[in-house]
Amino acid sequence: MKEWYNGLESRERLLVVGGAVILLLLILYTSLWEPFFSNYRALKTGVEEQQKTLVWMQEAAARVQVMKGSSPGAGRGLGGRSLLAVVDQSARSSGLGESIKRLEPDGRNGAKLWLEGVSFDDMILWLGKLTRTWQVQTSVITIDPKGDGRVDARLTLLEPAA
């Protein structure tokens, strides 16, 4: 190889050296420079997309907090009333008063309720209203169908979490 190179004229040697330099630069570009900047651009684009997603999520969280605060009864909890009083009063105002057979405390923040011969639809609507208005949670519910859309139900209700 050295003999071949030494056998070339000076102009040809200059072309071979120049070609070798260009080839070396091309190899460095394709193996190092271009992949580095390609990955850099991809990462930069990914970061920009993630920042947009973060902004969207923060705006959505703020909207959720506003909506949560503006829902009926939001943040009211039981308004200083006992769970038993709220359950009894709301059940009676929803027309379920005659179906209440027993209502008793269950621990510090719960109540057990027995309903007999209650309309299933009316009971479910009342539970939805109780949850929306007072944030009372139903932890256990046992329903025995009695026919004609009537049921016997045993419920365990919990005060809203603070």
Side-chain angles (χ1 to χ4, degrees):
M1 179 83 143
K2 195 173 189 182
E3 289 177 19
W4 171 79
Y5 181 75
N6 288 332
L8 296 175
E9 292 182 25
S10 64
R11 213 172 89 212
E12 290 174 333
R13 283 186 208 157
L14 187 60
L15 281 173
V16 168
V17 169
V21 169
I22 290 174
L23 182 61
L24 180 63
L25 290 175
L26 184 62
I27 289 172
L28 287 174
Y29 175 79
T30 58
S31 65
L32 297 175
W33 190 264
E34 197 276 329
F36 173 78
F37 278 102
S38 176
N39 288 339
Y40 172 77
R41 285 189 299 271
L43 289 173
K44 186 175 179 181
T45 302
V47 167
E48 290 170 357
E49 289 174 8
Q50 293 296 324
Q51 287 173 333
K52 288 178 186 175
T53 302
L54 175 63
V55 168
W56 176 83
M57 291 176 92
Q58 289 171 334
E59 290 171 356
R63 284 194 304 267
V64 166
Q65 290 300 325
V66 168
M67 291 170 69
K68 195 175 183 182
S70 67
S71 66
R76 282 194 343 211
L78 298 178
R81 300 170 63 191
S82 75
L83 178 61
L84 295 174
V86 168
V87 169
D88 184 59
Q89 186 262 333
S90 67
R92 291 185 189 285
S93 69
S94 294
L96 305 179
E98 292 187 22
S99 299
I100 298 175
K101 296 305 172 196
R102 196 165 158 190
L103 176 61
E104 64 185 36
D106 183 39
R108 273 187 34 190
N109 61 348
K112 287 190 177 188
L113 174 66
W114 285 260
L115 298 169
E116 291 183 4
V118 66
S119 164
F120 178 78
D121 293 341
D122 291 345
M123 180 186 69
I124 295 299
L125 290 171
W126 167 70
L127 281 173
K129 183 178 178 184
L130 191 65
T131 300
R132 274 190 320 276
T133 305
W134 301 100
Q135 291 82 42
V136 171
Q137 301 171 0
T138 305
S139 97
V140 177
I141 184 168
T142 305
I143 300 174
D144 296 319
K146 295 300 174 189
D148 295 333
R150 301 236 170 247
V151 296
D152 289 347
R154 291 180 302 280
L155 298 102
T156 301
L157 304 170
L158 300 174
E159 288 182 3

